[in-house]
Amino acid sequence: MSIRAIIVDDEPIARHSIARLLREEADIAVLAEFGDGASALEAIRRLKPDLVFLDIQMPELSGIDVAASLGEEDLPATVFVTAYEQYAVRAFEANAVDYLVKPFSRERFDAMLRRARRRLAGEGGQASAQVWQALAELRREQGYARRLPVPLDGSVILLDVARIDWIEASRNRVRLHVGKETYELRETMASLEQRLNPRYFARVHRSAIVNIERIRAIHPWFKGYHMVVLTTGQELRMSRYQHETFRGLARFQERTP
């Protein structure tokens, strides 16, 4: 059986690396390589390959968008490629499809090909509902901010949101607390909250949003209030009206060793 493959990755080195390894396989023919999702989507629909190597993170139309556009019926056997381990683990631990985390070893690549061949021989079945659910979740997360443009000394820096410990409201501005540093951003608390991934950030008070991974403890206070203690030692009062937030943070604390 000859396997017809397409490679989609916006990084030329990664794309060519996969192509080189595939060309060493006698039963695999590389139909085309693409550096963007839009071109790849059109080619997949037109060429109908047996196997697609699809980069998850690409500008404009990502691999997740390509998969969603094709749908469950028309998506070929797909190996999702990512530079971020957490994407692969969360999305594909159901083992319905395979993935490669860049950079990958030859051993990992060979193991992936064995699974792909089994899948194409009809032994692996279709992508499971869990995988499609995970892809939909990752697609939603693409819309959340990963970096914020912050003015600093007449310039603008791009601040990784993962570095933020907590965020403080200050009228029509917010203060971003990052370790011993504080940055100001002209934005309302409500609008910034919408841009942050609720998996990692929680509003504990009308004037405070915390990075969940910076929480060290949650202590009961009085009259239904709780105190959130961060790893920096900062203490923040949690509003007694944030019941859902409290339950979510309590579950987080139970999972934290």
Side-chain angles (χ1 to χ4, degrees):
M1 179 180 68
S2 178
I3 299 173
R4 302 159 65 248
I6 282 179
I7 304 166
V8 188
D9 199 308
D10 66 333
E11 297 180 2
I13 293 177
R15 194 167 64 242
H16 299 333
S17 176
I18 293 173
R20 177 178 56 80
L21 292 172
L22 288 179
R23 290 190 175 102
E24 296 177 7
E25 305 294 325
D27 61 336
I28 298 179
V30 178
L31 299 180
E33 302 175 32
F34 297 96
D36 67 279
S39 300
L41 180 60
E42 186 277 330
I44 292 170
R45 286 171 169 162
R46 176 170 49 85
L47 299 175
K48 299 188 183 303
D50 305 301
L51 181 63
V52 174
F53 291 81
L54 190 56
D55 186 16
I56 290 181
Q57 298 91 16
M58 292 187 292
E60 298 183 14
L61 196 69
S62 71
I64 299 169
D65 296 328
V66 170
S69 298
L70 289 168
E72 190 168 355
E73 295 298 322
D74 295 328
L75 182 68
T78 302
V79 177
F80 290 93
V81 184
T82 176
Y84 301 97
E85 180 77 28
Q86 67 269 26
Y87 278 87
V89 171
R90 283 192 11 239
F92 313 121
E93 59 188 3
N95 282 339
V97 294
D98 213 328
Y99 63 87
L100 290 172
V101 178
K102 298 182 283 190
F104 49 83
S105 66
R106 180 58 189 261
E107 290 74 19
R108 180 69 186 90
F109 190 84
D110 289 343
M112 173 277 303
L113 280 183
R114 287 193 293 270
R115 290 195 57 209
R117 288 186 174 102
R118 289 197 298 270
R119 165 86 178 272
L120 291 168
E123 301 175 18
Q126 297 297 313
S128 70
Q130 296 99 311
V131 170
W132 283 100
Q133 182 179 351
L135 284 172
E137 180 183 342
L138 291 178
R139 195 182 189 198
R140 286 194 300 271
E141 291 193 4
Q142 285 182 329
Y144 294 119
R146 295 183 184 175
R147 296 195 293 175
L148 297 175
V150 177
L152 180 66
D153 299 330
S155 300
V156 174
I157 64 169
L158 294 176
L159 178 66
D160 289 338
V161 297
R163 294 181 55 208
I164 298 172
D165 299 318
W166 69 287
I167 301 166
E168 178 184 12
S170 178
R171 295 185 180 180
N172 63 337
R173 294 175 178 265
V174 292
R175 294 193 181 102
L176 312 176
H177 296 271
V178 183
K180 296 181 179 180
E181 304 293 329
T182 301
Y183 303 94
E184 274 203 349
L185 192 61
R186 184 182 291 277
E187 186 166 358
T188 65
M189 198 73 153
S191 65
L192 181 57
E193 182 181 16
Q194 293 299 314
R195 297 171 59 198
L196 296 174
N197 191 336
R199 179 184 292 271
Y200 304 110
F201 288 89
R203 192 165 186 170
V204 297
H205 191 272
R206 62 183 180 84
S207 60
I209 294 175
V210 299
N211 184 334
I212 295 174
E213 295 188 346
R214 298 293 195 276
I215 296 175
R216 185 170 65 194
I218 302 174
H219 299 305
W221 204 28
F222 67 92
K223 294 184 178 180
Y225 289 94
H226 288 77
M227 188 67 71
V228 177
V229 183
L230 304 185
T231 54
T232 60
Q234 177 71 45
E235 296 183 348
L236 298 169
R237 187 181 67 176
M238 178 183 289
S239 168
R240 58 183 174 180
Y241 301 109
Q242 299 288 349
H243 298 303
E244 289 301 319
T245 298
F246 171 73
R247 282 195 284 268
L249 293 180
R251 288 193 294 269
F252 172 82
Q253 289 295 296
E254 289 172 359
R255 298 196 306 268
T256 302

